[in-house]
Amino acid sequence: MLSYNGEQVKDKVDLKSYTKQDIEFSEQVLSANILLIGDSMVGRTSIRRAWMGKHFISNHLTTIGASIDKKTISLDGWTINVTLTDLGGQDFYSELRKNFYRNIDGAVIVFDLTKPDSFRRIDYWVKEFYRESKRLVPFILVGNKYDLPNRVI
Protein backbone atom coordinates (compact mmCIF):
# COMPACT_ATOMS: atom_id res chain seq x y z
CA MET A 1 0.00 0.00 0.00
CA LEU A 2 1.28 3.45 -0.86
CA SER A 3 1.28 6.19 1.73
CA TYR A 4 1.71 9.94 1.45
CA ASN A 5 2.30 12.19 4.44
CA GLY A 6 1.40 9.30 6.72
CA GLU A 7 -1.96 8.59 5.04
CA GLN A 8 -2.58 5.46 3.01
CA VAL A 9 -3.42 6.09 -0.62
CA LYS A 10 -6.00 3.55 -1.77
CA ASP A 11 -6.57 4.76 -5.31
CA LYS A 12 -4.19 5.55 -8.13
CA VAL A 13 -1.52 8.18 -7.60
CA ASP A 14 -0.23 10.51 -10.29
CA LEU A 15 3.37 9.37 -9.93
CA LYS A 16 4.74 12.34 -11.86
CA SER A 17 3.50 14.73 -9.17
CA TYR A 18 5.53 13.06 -6.40
CA THR A 19 9.15 12.16 -5.97
CA LYS A 20 10.30 8.85 -4.55
CA GLN A 21 11.09 10.66 -1.29
CA ASP A 22 7.43 11.73 -1.01
CA ILE A 23 6.06 8.19 -1.05
CA GLU A 24 6.96 5.40 1.35
CA PHE A 25 6.74 1.87 -0.03
CA SER A 26 5.99 -1.37 1.72
CA GLU A 27 7.38 -2.87 -1.49
CA GLN A 28 9.81 -1.36 -3.97
CA VAL A 29 7.76 -2.24 -7.05
CA LEU A 30 4.33 -1.08 -8.20
CA SER A 31 2.03 -3.36 -10.16
CA ALA A 32 -0.73 -2.87 -12.72
CA ASN A 33 -3.28 -5.42 -13.87
CA ILE A 34 -4.63 -4.42 -17.30
CA LEU A 35 -7.28 -6.19 -19.40
CA LEU A 36 -7.56 -6.26 -23.18
CA ILE A 37 -11.23 -6.67 -24.07
CA GLY A 38 -13.37 -6.38 -27.20
CA ASP A 39 -15.04 -8.49 -29.84
CA SER A 40 -13.37 -11.55 -31.30
CA MET A 41 -10.94 -10.89 -34.16
CA VAL A 42 -10.43 -7.16 -33.46
CA GLY A 43 -6.68 -7.59 -32.92
CA ARG A 44 -6.31 -7.76 -29.13
CA THR A 45 -3.76 -10.55 -29.41
CA SER A 46 -1.71 -8.60 -31.96
CA ILE A 47 -1.64 -5.60 -29.61
CA ARG A 48 -0.54 -7.83 -26.73
CA ARG A 49 2.15 -9.50 -28.84
CA ALA A 50 3.48 -6.13 -30.04
CA TRP A 51 3.62 -4.86 -26.46
CA MET A 52 5.65 -7.95 -25.55
CA GLY A 53 8.05 -7.27 -28.44
CA LYS A 54 6.87 -10.21 -30.52
CA HIS A 55 6.30 -10.07 -34.27
CA PHE A 56 2.93 -9.92 -35.99
CA ILE A 57 1.32 -13.22 -37.03
CA SER A 58 -1.35 -12.86 -39.71
CA ASN A 59 -2.88 -16.32 -39.31
CA HIS A 60 -3.12 -16.89 -35.56
CA LEU A 61 -6.18 -18.45 -33.92
CA THR A 62 -8.64 -16.56 -31.75
CA THR A 63 -7.95 -16.32 -28.02
CA ILE A 64 -9.32 -19.30 -26.14
CA GLY A 65 -10.45 -18.07 -22.73
CA ALA A 66 -7.62 -15.81 -21.66
CA SER A 67 -3.97 -15.25 -22.46
CA ILE A 68 -1.77 -13.59 -19.85
CA ASP A 69 1.59 -11.89 -20.25
CA LYS A 70 3.72 -10.15 -17.65
CA LYS A 71 6.31 -7.48 -18.26
CA THR A 72 8.34 -5.20 -16.01
CA ILE A 73 8.71 -1.65 -17.26
CA SER A 74 10.51 1.42 -16.00
CA LEU A 75 8.72 4.75 -16.23
CA ASP A 76 10.12 8.01 -14.95
CA GLY A 77 12.33 6.17 -12.47
CA TRP A 78 9.55 3.85 -11.26
CA THR A 79 9.50 0.08 -11.72
CA ILE A 80 6.08 -1.32 -12.61
CA ASN A 81 5.13 -4.98 -13.00
CA VAL A 82 2.39 -5.06 -15.61
CA THR A 83 0.09 -8.02 -16.13
CA LEU A 84 -1.68 -7.77 -19.48
CA THR A 85 -4.59 -10.18 -19.87
CA ASP A 86 -6.19 -10.74 -23.28
CA LEU A 87 -9.73 -12.03 -22.75
CA GLY A 88 -11.61 -14.04 -25.37
CA GLY A 89 -14.24 -11.84 -27.00
CA GLN A 90 -16.83 -14.45 -27.91
CA ASP A 91 -20.11 -14.19 -26.02
CA PHE A 92 -19.74 -17.72 -24.60
CA TYR A 93 -16.70 -16.49 -22.60
CA SER A 94 -18.75 -13.89 -20.71
CA GLU A 95 -18.92 -16.03 -17.54
CA LEU A 96 -15.17 -16.66 -17.64
CA ARG A 97 -14.44 -12.95 -18.16
CA LYS A 98 -16.26 -12.08 -14.92
CA ASN A 99 -13.42 -13.62 -12.90
CA PHE A 100 -10.85 -11.33 -14.50
CA TYR A 101 -12.68 -8.05 -13.87
CA ARG A 102 -11.97 -8.19 -10.14
CA ASN A 103 -8.91 -6.35 -8.86
CA ILE A 104 -8.00 -4.76 -12.18
CA ASP A 105 -6.33 -1.39 -12.56
CA GLY A 106 -7.48 -0.57 -16.08
CA ALA A 107 -8.60 -1.88 -19.42
CA VAL A 108 -8.03 -1.41 -23.11
CA ILE A 109 -11.26 -1.81 -25.10
CA VAL A 110 -10.31 -2.67 -28.68
CA PHE A 111 -12.45 -2.33 -31.79
CA ASP A 112 -11.65 -3.03 -35.43
CA LEU A 113 -11.63 -0.04 -37.80
CA THR A 114 -12.64 -2.38 -40.65
CA LYS A 115 -15.69 -3.80 -38.81
CA PRO A 116 -18.41 -1.28 -37.88
CA ASP A 117 -20.17 -3.85 -35.68
CA SER A 118 -17.15 -3.99 -33.38
CA PHE A 119 -17.40 -0.19 -32.97
CA ARG A 120 -21.14 -0.39 -32.23
CA ARG A 121 -20.45 -2.97 -29.52
CA ILE A 122 -18.16 -0.66 -27.51
CA ASP A 123 -21.19 0.16 -25.35
CA TYR A 124 -21.60 -3.56 -24.57
CA TRP A 125 -17.96 -3.83 -23.46
CA VAL A 126 -18.07 -0.69 -21.32
CA LYS A 127 -21.24 -1.91 -19.57
CA GLU A 128 -19.83 -5.40 -18.98
CA PHE A 129 -16.57 -3.90 -17.73
CA TYR A 130 -18.19 -1.63 -15.14
CA ARG A 131 -20.90 -4.11 -14.14
CA GLU A 132 -18.38 -6.84 -13.38
CA SER A 133 -15.56 -4.72 -11.93
CA LYS A 134 -18.13 -3.08 -9.61
CA ARG A 135 -16.13 0.16 -9.40
CA LEU A 136 -14.89 3.00 -11.54
CA VAL A 137 -11.73 1.82 -13.28
CA PRO A 138 -10.04 3.76 -16.09
CA PHE A 139 -10.11 2.41 -19.62
CA ILE A 140 -9.01 3.54 -23.06
CA LEU A 141 -10.52 2.82 -26.46
CA VAL A 142 -8.23 1.62 -29.23
CA GLY A 143 -9.28 1.51 -32.87
CA ASN A 144 -7.12 -1.24 -34.37
CA LYS A 145 -6.11 -2.20 -37.94
CA TYR A 146 -5.54 1.37 -39.06
CA ASP A 147 -2.99 0.09 -41.57
CA LEU A 148 -5.60 -1.84 -43.59
CA PRO A 149 -7.00 -0.24 -46.76
CA ASN A 150 -10.60 -1.33 -46.09
CA ARG A 151 -11.11 0.90 -43.03
CA VAL A 152 -14.70 2.06 -42.66
CA ILE A 153 -14.42 3.91 -39.36
Side-chain angles (χ1 to χ4, degrees), residues 8 33 40 112:
Q8 289 189 339
N33 188 5
S40 181
D112 184 338

Side-chain angles (χ1 to χ4, degrees), residues 32-38 44-45 47-48 51 65-69 82-88 96-110 125 128-130 132-135 137-142:
N33 188 5
I34 309 298
L35 297 180
L36 277 167
I37 57 177
R44 292 179 326 277
T45 299
I47 291 170
R48 179 181 51 81
W51 184 73
S67 185
I68 302 170
D69 279 308
V82 180
T83 301
L84 188 63
T85 304
D86 175 7
L87 296 177
L96 174 70
R97 285 192 301 264
K98 288 180 182 183
N99 297 316
F100 289 93
Y101 286 117
R102 295 182 208 119
N103 301 316
I104 60 168
D105 299 305
V108 178
I109 301 175
V110 182
W125 290 104
E128 179 181 280
F129 174 67
Y130 281 126
E132 300 305 332
S133 64
K134 298 180 181 12
R135 59 195 173 90
V137 179
F139 70 89
I140 61 170
L141 294 177
V142 173

Side-chain angles (χ1 to χ4, degrees), residues 27 38 43 51 91:
E27 296 181 33
W51 184 73
D91 288 339

Side-chain angles (χ1 to χ4, degrees):
M1 178 64 67
L2 296 175
S3 64
Y4 179 71
N5 287 340
E7 295 182 33
Q8 289 189 339
V9 179
K10 291 184 271 185
D11 295 318
K12 302 297 165 270
V13 175
D14 178 8
L15 297 179
K16 291 184 179 183
S17 64
Y18 302 105
T19 65
K20 284 188 177 182
Q21 292 77 26
D22 290 331
I23 299 175
E24 301 168 15
F25 288 94
S26 60
E27 296 181 33
Q28 293 298 315
V29 178
L30 299 175
S31 63
N33 188 5
I34 309 298
L35 297 180
L36 277 167
I37 57 177
D39 285 356
S40 181
M41 304 300 291
V42 295
R44 292 179 326 277
T45 299
S46 294
I47 291 170
R48 179 181 51 81
R49 288 181 56 81
W51 184 73
M52 291 300 297
K54 298 176 182 176
H55 66 281
F56 175 75
I57 298 175
S58 61
N59 60 349
H60 64 81
L61 301 174
T62 62
T63 302
I64 299 173
S67 185
I68 302 170
D69 279 308
K70 295 183 179 193
K71 182 176 182 178
T72 300
I73 61 172
S74 295
L75 179 66
D76 295 329
W78 299 87
T79 300
I80 306 169
N81 287 331
V82 180
T83 301
L84 188 63
T85 304
D86 175 7
L87 296 177
Q90 297 91 336
D91 288 339
F92 54 84
Y93 287 128
S94 64
E95 287 299 313
L96 174 70
R97 285 192 301 264
K98 288 180 182 183
N99 297 316
F100 289 93
Y101 286 117
R102 295 182 208 119
N103 301 316
I104 60 168
D105 299 305
V108 178
I109 301 175
V110 182
F111 64 96
D112 184 338
L113 293 168
T114 69
K115 296 179 182 174
D117 285 343
S118 73
F119 180 76
R120 287 186 205 98
R121 283 183 41 92
I122 290 171
D123 187 56
Y124 167 85
W125 290 104
V126 171
K127 286 178 180 175
E128 179 181 280
F129 174 67
Y130 281 126
R131 181 180 64 245
E132 300 305 332
S133 64
K134 298 180 181 12
R135 59 195 173 90
L136 289 177
V137 179
F139 70 89
I140 61 170
L141 294 177
V142 173
N144 199 19
K145 303 185 184 181
Y146 181 81
D147 57 320
L148 297 181
N150 57 334
R151 288 191 324 268
V152 292
I153 299 174

